[in-house]
Amino acid sequence: MKRLALLLALFPVFPCILSAQEGTVIPEDVFYLMPSFGNGSVVYRGQPPVRGSFNICAVDNTVRFKDADGQELAAEDTDLVQVSIDNVTFVKDGNHFLRLYPVSEDVSVAVHRNVLILTDSKAGAYGGQSQTTAVTEYSSFTAEGRIFRIDDVRELPYRVSETASLCRGQSVIALNKRNLQRCFPQSKDAIEEYFDSHKSLPANDISAILELCKLWAQ
């Protein structure tokens, strides 16, 4: 346990990770899962990757791209399974995206960012509109449906939090003692010792989870 405490003290805090917070002006780097649009690819089940410049909206969990006029559009999400942006990988789990932080060859900490807009206003306050646009650069996409834009929600109060789970191979699994021992069998005793002392994991403290998993992956 002394070694664990020392490692937790020495490891750097990950600057891209958010602690739970509230605010009245939603920042762009909270609204999007990446700091800016970046080169990458979108993978649909049974299809080759579609390459381009993308970002992901944390409010409505849509993959975003821009047309020739610079207008921001949402990609079709049917059968969408994975997005890579600037060498960062996101996997689709239900209706939201998880950012993967690899900790071993086949195990990653998977982080879900939840951005909740706190308002009693009607849906029209978001200003979203339906649209359909032909996007010849991305033949696998349709740009249809209502999307939220940063200008629509910037002045609305919000709450943001991040929660960790595990991704092993292609499967997203719960972050618990049993799954941790399966993912890191070489550290089974250390994981048992941790849970004997702590009873549960701080699933919302992403930096702490990452450091623990990196330690157990050794």
Side-chain angles (χ1 to χ4, degrees):
M1 293 304 294
K2 289 182 179 179
R3 179 177 179 231
L4 173 59
L6 178 62
L7 285 170
L8 289 175
L10 293 178
F11 278 134
V13 175
F14 289 76
C16 57
I17 295 171
L18 301 172
S19 58
Q21 57 182 275
E22 292 188 13
T24 55
V25 179
I26 187 168
E28 194 161 347
D29 61 352
V30 171
F31 182 83
Y32 296 105
L33 294 183
M34 292 291 287
S36 60
F37 280 74
N39 292 329
S41 62
V42 175
V43 178
Y44 291 91
R45 187 173 290 106
Q47 299 184 34
V50 179
R51 304 191 184 280
S53 180
F54 307 104
N55 210 329
I56 299 174
C57 175
V59 176
D60 60 14
N61 277 274
T62 56
V63 177
R64 304 294 182 86
F65 64 97
K66 295 182 179 181
D67 65 12
D69 297 322
Q71 183 176 10
E72 192 170 312
L73 302 171
E76 172 62 55
D77 63 358
T78 303
D79 291 330
L80 194 161
V81 295
Q82 182 174 301
V83 180
S84 296
I85 304 171
D86 288 342
N87 297 317
V88 175
T89 299
F90 300 86
V91 294
K92 189 79 178 291
D93 182 50
N95 294 320
H96 52 261
F97 286 92
L98 305 179
R99 177 171 177 163
L100 300 187
Y101 292 87
V103 293
S104 70
E105 185 175 348
D106 65 340
V107 178
S108 297
V109 173
V111 177
H112 170 224
R113 179 183 299 175
N114 181 38
V115 178
L116 178 64
I117 304 300
L118 306 175
T119 178
D120 294 329
S121 302
K122 296 181 180 179
Y126 292 115
Q129 296 180 349
S130 296
Q131 58 182 310
T132 302
T133 304
V135 184
T136 57
E137 295 90 340
Y138 306 91
S139 59
S140 297
F141 290 173
T142 62
E144 59 186 3
R146 180 169 164 236
I147 65 173
F148 297 127
R149 298 176 176 83
I150 182 63
D151 289 340
D152 300 332
V153 299
R154 188 185 294 274
E155 301 299 327
L156 295 177
Y158 71 95
R159 180 184 299 131
V160 58
S161 62
E162 292 189 324
T163 305
S165 54
L166 295 170
C167 184
R168 186 180 189 184
Q170 302 296 316
S171 301
V172 176
I173 55 179
L175 183 68
N176 56 38
K177 181 175 73 172
R178 181 182 181 186
N179 286 335
L180 285 165
Q181 289 179 325
R182 288 180 172 179
C183 290
F184 312 119
Q186 71 278 14
S187 297
K188 184 175 181 180
D189 291 341
I191 295 169
E192 187 73 39
E193 182 181 355
Y194 177 90
F195 278 89
D196 285 344
S197 300
H198 295 79
K199 304 306 180 184
S200 63
L201 283 163
N204 297 112
D205 188 342
I206 307 303
S207 293
I209 294 298
L210 279 166
E211 304 306 351
L212 284 168
C213 289
K214 284 188 173 185
L215 176 65
W216 291 330
Q218 294 177 2

